Amino acid sequence: MQYHLVWCTKYRTKVLKNGIDTECKEMLQNLAEEYKFQILAMEVMPDHIHLLVDCKPQFYISDMIKIMKGNHARQMFLAYPELKKELWGGHLWNPSYCAITVSDRSRD
């Protein structure tokens, strides 16, 4: 199954910049390898992330999002503790996300 996933930083705060975006991509790739799904395309914008992922149908998309957002936020706050000062309440991500299934016809 392939999904286009999008999620935003809390309050759409533009914190994924100045090298943090590059580190963000590396962390997400490492999570994908660890949890056995593949990131086919990735774009990290200052206030949101777009991913095209390929995973087994047995993998619940809500679990994948929870893994990526939760583990990634923890890693980001450890690597960049100053982020907590820019984001109220200590949350990196907005609780919502967008997940759209992708087929060969809609991939472009």
Side-chain angles (χ1 to χ4, degrees):
M1 298 284 300
Q2 292 182 354
Y3 297 95
H4 177 194
L5 306 174
V6 182
W7 67 86
C8 303
T9 58
K10 191 74 169 185
Y11 311 112
R12 296 291 300 247
T13 307
K14 297 180 187 308
V15 295
L16 306 176
K17 57 187 180 183
N18 301 329
I20 294 176
D21 52 341
T22 305
E23 183 76 19
C24 185
K25 288 179 181 182
E26 290 175 23
M27 288 178 183
L28 287 169
Q29 282 292 5
N30 292 337
L31 284 171
E33 289 174 22
E34 181 180 347
Y35 288 95
K36 309 284 190 267
F37 61 90
Q38 185 177 12
I39 297 175
L40 303 174
M42 178 179 359
E43 202 58 51
V44 176
M45 308 304 287
D47 64 350
H48 67 283
I49 292 177
H50 287 269
L51 295 177
L52 178 62
V53 298
D54 186 58
C55 63
K56 295 177 183 175
Q58 295 84 358
F59 206 151
Y60 294 122
I61 192 65
S62 59
D63 291 342
M64 182 187 302
I65 293 286
K66 188 188 308 184
I67 286 166
M68 284 194 291
K69 288 172 70 176
N71 290 358
H72 187 248
R74 188 170 42 258
Q75 291 174 4
M76 291 292 284
F77 284 141
L78 288 172
Y80 301 96
E82 66 274 11
L83 287 179
K84 280 200 175 195
K85 294 175 187 163
E86 293 185 52
L87 299 160
W88 313 350
H91 297 286
L92 180 58
W93 305 118
N94 186 309
S96 62
Y97 62 90
C98 174
I100 304 164
T101 56
V102 178
S103 69
D104 290 336
R105 298 183 89 190
S106 64
R107 185 180 302 172
D108 294 337

